[in-house]
Every structure is written in structure tokens, then in C-alpha cells.
Amino acid sequence: EPLRSVPAMLSLDFLDDVRRMNKRQLYYQVLNFGMIVSSALMIWKGLMVVTGSESPIVVVLSGSMEPAFHRGDLLFLTNRIEDPIRVGEIVVFRIEGREIPIVHRVLKIHEKQNGDIKFLTKGDNNAVDDRGLYKRGQHWLEKKDVVGRARGFVPYIGIVTILMNDYPKFKYAVLFLLGLFVLVHRE
Amino acid sequence: LRKNIEDFTGPRERSDLGFITFDITADILNGKNGFIFDWNVKQLFLYLSAEYSTKNNALNQVVLWDKIILRGDNPRLFLKDMKSKYFFFDDGNGLKGNRNVTLTLSWNVVPNAGILPLVTGSGHVSVPFPDTYETTKSY
């Protein structure tokens, strides 16, 4: 059965199709859908293991790293402990107690003999370093604050997640259409 | 290169503050692998960093100056008598008498899409700091 085009779906033909599908076919489609979701989750978990980061892909949320990165760009991170933190690197970090990850560049590091390191960051597009952003009384970031180091990126693609965040109706519409597509599409 | 140090009450306890002026002459059009600004290079983030060791910390790195070079900008740099963009504070008093402060020029290649490599320029300059502090604040 070929994939139905959007105009065909908009007519009421597909409703007849759904009624014609017997229960067994419906369960089959639901299982198919479940498999897709599980595979996606497995790939995501696999990425977490390989990169060592709890969040191997992040979306850039602000313009503080322009002109290198813009809002909506997608960053690929690794967080391997063997990789030392050095100046010039682009790190994604979280300030204690805050949820939103920040993507900035390392400006200064002071590392002890035993590997303990404290460092300062700054956004390329900001005039001053990030000390004002850190927690009250906090002057440095430490390894535990790091989500990962940016190793690669693709532009624009992450804008979909930003839209879904800012406009929940858009998120529901996307999810609804996706669900509809998978359930109705027959192999 | 002119250097003087001053005990300066910065954002935290009294630490050494270094002042460095420098010249940079660079032609970054042609790197080791040929033409650096190929079709996938959006910009270069250039930075001058000082690296040194102190009693307090085995490794210190401080970015003194940085510059963004966009594709299409003039890739030849003739900078003279530049002052550092950022305060060169040590974490403690490790700059006084430190003979082994090395300045290196490095750059981050930002592609239109893809991997973000960090490249260190070959060749570096050693900047020895004097044993005494300067008390006049003339910068």
C-alpha cells in the first residue's frame, strides 16, 4: 500500500481505512510505533555511554556565542574524563541549582597537581566573563559543573525544539501528526 | 614586551596581576593543510594564551586576548603594542619571579557544519616576570 499523500489524508478516505483495519492490524501498528520509540531511546542512551555526557546533544538557546553559534544550532558533546579542560574549548555547563545549560568558552584555568581544576568561562559575544552568572559567592566552575565539551555542530536544526518549548500548541500538533502518520501508514 | 606586576585587590584576595604588551604578526591564510578558509570554514576564533606553573597550581592557562576572524576578513594581522583584553590575574602570587610564562597563539576553527577543531600554533614566546612589584599604577 503506497504512502498516502497529504491531500488524500485530508479527505475522509483514511477514516474508512482505519475502520477497515481489524484489531490485529491496529495492535501491529501500535507495536511498530512502540518499537520505533524504544529504538530511539536506545540510540540516545547509547550516545550517552559513548560520549560520557548525560546530554550528548544540546540546542543553543542564546546568542552569547555569536557569530559562531546562533539560537537553534545543535551541538554534539563529549564529556570524557580523560580529556583535560583547556582554555579555548567550548564547554556546556550547568550552574548549581539551575536547569538551563550554558554554552561558553573557557577563558582561564588553574589546575592542581592532582587534577583538581577550577576554570572561568565567557561567551564570545559577551563583553565580560561569566562570573556574574555563577551562583552567589561562586567564582569558578569545576569539573562537576560540566555537561560536556562541544566537538561538532549543525546549524538551525535545533530550532524545532525551541519552537516546541516556546509554543506548546506546536509541540502537541507535531506529536499528534507524528502519531497519526505512524498509525495510518501501512507497509 | 614590557612587563610589570602589581599587587592588586581584584575580585578575590590579593593576587598577582600581570601586564603584558605584545605584537602579533600572522598570516593565517595558509595553514599546514593548505588554504584554511575553505568552503566549510565560517570563522576562526583566535586567542593568545599564557601558560605557566606556580607553587599553588601545577598548570595555569589564561587567555590574554582574542579575536574573531570571519571568512572574508583580511587574514593578515599586523598588531603592534597590543594590551591584553583580559586581566591577567594569577590564582595567588605565582607570577612574581616566574621565568617560565609561555605565550601561545591558538585558534578554534568554526565550520558551517561539522567538527570544531582547536589548533595550537607552532612556536611560542617565553615571558619572564620580574622579581619585584611595581607600585605605580600606570597602564
Side-chain angles (χ1 to χ4, degrees):
Chain A
E1 185 72 43
L3 184 58
R4 288 175 178 279
S5 64
V6 173
M9 268 171 64
L10 287 180
S11 75
L12 293 177
D13 283 359
F14 83 98
L15 277 178
D16 291 343
D17 269 335
V18 173
R19 248 180 268 127
R20 256 186 273 133
M21 271 202 286
N22 62 26
K23 272 210 174 106
R24 190 174 281 145
Q25 280 178 303
L26 192 63
Y27 292 150
Y28 183 75
Q29 289 296 63
V30 172
L31 274 177
N32 248 354
F33 183 67
M35 246 183 61
I36 294 175
V37 172
S38 312
S39 307
L41 278 174
M42 272 179 64
I43 293 176
W44 184 250
K45 292 282 173 187
L47 264 183
M48 279 172 64
V49 170
V50 165
T51 64
S53 170
E54 63 184 53
S55 200
I57 304 182
V58 292
V59 180
V60 176
L61 296 171
S62 78
S64 56
M65 280 297 280
E66 286 181 20
F69 307 132
H70 298 83
R71 224 169 106 83
D73 289 348
L74 216 61
L75 292 177
F76 298 94
L77 314 180
T78 64
N79 195 27
R80 304 210 181 84
I81 310 185
E82 322 85 74
D83 287 339
I85 299 176
R86 295 289 175 254
V87 289
E89 292 196 333
I90 300 169
V91 293
V92 179
F93 60 91
R94 264 203 201 95
I95 298 172
E96 234 174 278
R98 314 235 187 104
E99 239 192 65
I100 309 210
I102 303 179
V103 186
H104 282 171
R105 203 180 287 273
V106 177
L107 192 71
K108 241 180 156 226
I109 65 159
H110 296 290
E111 186 176 62
K112 300 239 181 258
Q113 187 81 25
N114 62 6
D116 283 347
I117 189 169
K118 58 188 187 188
F119 61 98
L120 180 63
T121 55
K122 173 182 169 291
D124 289 352
N125 207 20
N126 293 344
V128 295
D129 60 44
D130 291 344
R131 235 168 222 137
L133 290 176
Y134 301 162
K135 223 171 52 162
R136 204 168 224 279
Q138 178 187 13
H139 294 130
W140 304 96
L141 288 175
E142 291 163 25
K143 262 188 236 176
K144 64 171 176 57
D145 301 310
V146 174
V147 173
R149 248 72 64 73
R151 298 293 182 209
F153 93 109
V154 282
Y156 313 128
I157 299 204
I159 207 95
V160 176
T161 51
I162 293 185
L163 283 175
M164 294 210 294
N165 232 358
D166 291 349
Y167 305 106
K169 293 217 181 87
F170 179 68
K171 172 160 68 183
Y172 300 140
V174 169
L175 288 175
F176 177 69
L177 284 173
L178 267 176
L180 209 60
F181 171 78
V182 174
L183 285 174
V184 172
H185 171 221
R186 281 186 272 150
E187 289 282 351
Chain B
L1 293 159
R2 202 173 3 111
K3 30 211 178 279
N4 43 42
I5 317 178
E6 191 173 280
D7 230 3
F8 188 91
T9 311
R12 39 248 165 249
E13 327 78 35
R14 297 176 80 84
S15 330
D16 283 357
L17 176 64
F19 293 94
I20 294 186
T21 48
F22 53 91
D23 305 335
I24 293 184
T25 312
D27 178 0
I28 47 183
L29 207 58
N30 296 297
K32 225 180 357 179
N33 300 319
F35 190 56
I36 282 196
F37 273 102
D38 65 25
W39 61 276
N40 193 24
V41 174
K42 185 161 75 169
Q43 72 172 60
L44 291 186
F45 185 89
L46 212 63
Y47 57 100
L48 182 74
S49 56
E51 182 169 319
Y52 59 99
S53 233
T54 62
K55 211 168 32 134
N56 257 353
N57 296 291
L59 175 67
N60 303 276
Q61 289 185 331
V62 181
V63 173
L64 299 178
W65 170 91
D66 55 43
K67 184 174 170 61
I68 293 176
I69 302 187
L70 297 169
R71 185 136 165 235
D73 283 355
N74 186 1
R76 287 192 174 76
L77 299 173
F78 284 119
L79 305 164
K80 292 211 146 284
D81 282 337
M82 302 288 293
K83 295 203 170 64
S84 68
K85 235 183 183 185
Y86 309 109
F87 281 121
F88 186 177
F89 268 112
D90 180 36
D91 177 37
N93 301 97
L95 288 181
K96 178 175 170 174
N98 196 324
R99 297 276 177 252
N100 232 343
V101 179
T102 318
L103 296 186
T104 330
L105 195 63
S106 317
W107 54 94
N108 182 203
V109 181
V110 183
N112 284 312
I115 312 244
L116 294 155
L118 218 59
V119 186
T120 310
S122 58
H124 28 236
V125 182
S126 200
V127 181
F129 274 89
D131 293 329
T132 54
Y133 292 121
E134 275 218 9
T135 46
T136 49
K137 223 166 63 134
S138 57
Y139 188 33

